[in-house]
Amino acid sequence: MTPAINFLKKNKCEFKIHKYKHDPKVTNYGLEASEKLNLDANLVYKTLLAQVNQNEFVVAIIPVNKSLNLKALATHFNSKNAKMADKDEAQKVSGYLLGGISAFGQKRRLKTVLDFSAKSYESIYISAGKRGLDLQINPNNIIELLDSSYNNISI
């Protein structure tokens, strides 16, 4: 079990676990999940950490085949700018390894935003907190459990 799965069970949230064999040579973890689970890349989301304001970290959840719009992210969090957290910061702040960062069960809860595109689907796939492990979950449950919101943050 990962902290993400434990968090969802504790909160009595409905989800399904999907496993695949992670290839250590692959660095595009989200697209690997999409391919190995034989899913449309529009349904698979990646969890990114970014920094807004001075030292405030936030979570952005976007489709694996898109890029994060940092300007839109900054606007969403009422900041002048936003930048991606570097690898070490992301791992330290979240408590997860890169490629397995989950929005759930992080060391401390961060403000979170989910890309508006997720609203179109009954369920999406996001990291379960470990490379090779994804969760299938209703995006509205993400919004509710993380006290987050939808916004157009991908390009």
Side-chain angles (χ1 to χ4, degrees):
M1 295 294 163
T2 66
I5 293 169
N6 292 336
F7 175 87
L8 292 172
K9 284 184 174 182
K10 180 181 172 190
N11 285 281
K12 297 179 171 77
C13 180
E14 216 175 285
F15 66 94
K16 291 181 185 168
I17 298 172
H18 297 270
K19 296 180 183 180
Y20 60 92
K21 184 161 174 48
H22 167 65
D23 180 349
K25 295 180 208 132
V26 173
T27 56
N28 193 327
Y29 308 108
L31 287 177
E32 177 190 32
S34 171
E35 290 169 11
K36 296 244 174 123
L37 295 173
N38 199 28
L39 297 168
D40 179 339
N42 292 309
L43 294 173
V44 182
Y45 284 64
K46 54 189 170 184
T47 305
L48 303 173
L49 267 70
Q51 192 173 352
V52 296
N53 301 315
Q54 286 229 316
N55 284 321
E56 183 182 1
F57 289 94
V58 297
V59 174
I61 305 170
I62 66 169
V64 298
N65 57 353
K66 303 276 183 166
S67 296
L68 180 60
N69 181 336
L70 289 169
K71 188 171 178 82
L73 185 71
T75 300
H76 178 79
F77 287 109
N78 299 314
S79 179
K80 289 183 180 179
N81 54 40
K83 68 176 185 174
M84 293 300 300
D86 75 26
K87 173 187 164 188
D88 293 334
E89 285 175 316
Q91 293 180 148
K92 182 179 175 186
V93 170
S94 70
Y96 290 109
L97 285 177
L98 206 64
I101 295 177
S102 179
F104 303 111
Q106 294 187 358
K107 280 185 171 180
R108 61 179 185 174
R109 183 177 288 180
L110 301 174
K111 292 178 184 174
T112 301
V113 59
L114 177 56
D115 191 69
F116 193 78
S117 60
K119 211 171 188 176
S120 307
Y121 305 112
E122 189 173 311
S123 64
I124 62 171
Y125 297 76
I126 62 171
S127 177
K130 183 179 175 185
R131 295 172 187 162
L133 200 62
D134 268 32
L135 299 168
Q136 181 181 359
I137 188 168
N138 183 300
N140 292 324
N141 289 340
I142 297 170
I143 298 298
E144 184 181 324
L145 289 169
L146 298 177
D147 193 25
S148 58
S149 58
Y150 290 104
N151 206 324
N152 289 314
I153 54 166
S154 68
I155 48 177

